[in-house]
Amino acid sequence: MTKLKIVDPPERSRLLDLADEWLEDVKINRRFRTFQSCEWPVKRVLIPFMEAEGIATPADFDQAAVNRLSNSLTDSSRAKPLSLESVRTYMRQCNIWLRWCAVRHGRDKAVTAKWQKPTRKEVTT
């Protein structure tokens, strides 16, 4: 007869708790599709990156980390490198979460990703 051993679940990171708190607010005030477009970049891209980098709080996320994240998403050595427009879309949602965290903790500014505005494509007829 095999004895079962009770194992404590892994401890949730404070980053995931903050993301869930923000997403609850998003869920109340936005449509479901908006909620989904917010959830994916923050919980599946930004937070895993921050945890891998050893960044414990949004306040510790600096401009160098922003640059490493955006470069890692477009890196050609990835299985599926993202287009610049996809990276902008992901980082836009991450910026919103980072600003929410800054306001929640009484800070005036949060580090956010910045890009040049995309050039307009001319349509020839």
Side-chain angles (χ1 to χ4, degrees):
M1 183 179 220
T2 305
K3 289 187 177 183
L4 294 176
K5 182 178 178 182
I6 298 175
V7 178
D8 291 329
E11 194 173 311
R12 272 181 63 90
S13 74
R14 178 71 181 129
L15 294 171
L16 283 173
D17 291 340
L18 281 170
D20 286 341
E21 191 176 324
W22 171 66
L23 288 167
E24 283 300 315
D25 186 46
V26 171
K27 192 184 291 185
I28 291 168
N29 297 312
R30 304 285 187 258
R31 294 181 182 165
F32 182 70
R33 295 285 290 165
T34 304
F35 169 80
Q36 287 178 314
S37 71
C38 294
E39 181 182 36
W40 179 260
V42 172
K43 289 183 85 172
R44 304 288 185 239
V45 176
L46 179 62
I47 291 176
F49 175 82
M50 290 174 76
E51 290 174 344
E53 292 271 319
I55 300 170
T57 67
D60 297 334
F61 195 65
D62 60 7
Q63 192 61 50
V66 170
N67 295 340
R68 285 192 306 275
L69 173 59
S70 60
N71 288 337
S72 72
L73 295 173
T74 59
D75 189 5
S76 60
S77 65
R78 282 177 55 105
K80 279 187 146 183
L82 298 176
S83 71
L84 290 177
E85 201 54 47
S86 293
V87 172
R88 276 192 199 109
T89 302
Y90 280 19
M91 294 304 289
R92 191 176 309 119
Q93 295 304 328
C94 294
N95 286 346
I96 292 169
W97 180 69
L98 290 167
R99 280 191 216 103
W100 178 88
C101 289
V103 168
R104 186 176 182 283
H105 289 97
R107 292 187 315 275
D108 293 335
K109 292 191 174 196
V111 173
T112 55
K114 297 169 185 76
W115 298 276
Q116 291 180 334
K117 293 194 180 215
T119 56
R120 292 184 176 248
K121 295 179 183 177
E122 290 188 31
V123 178
T124 58
T125 56

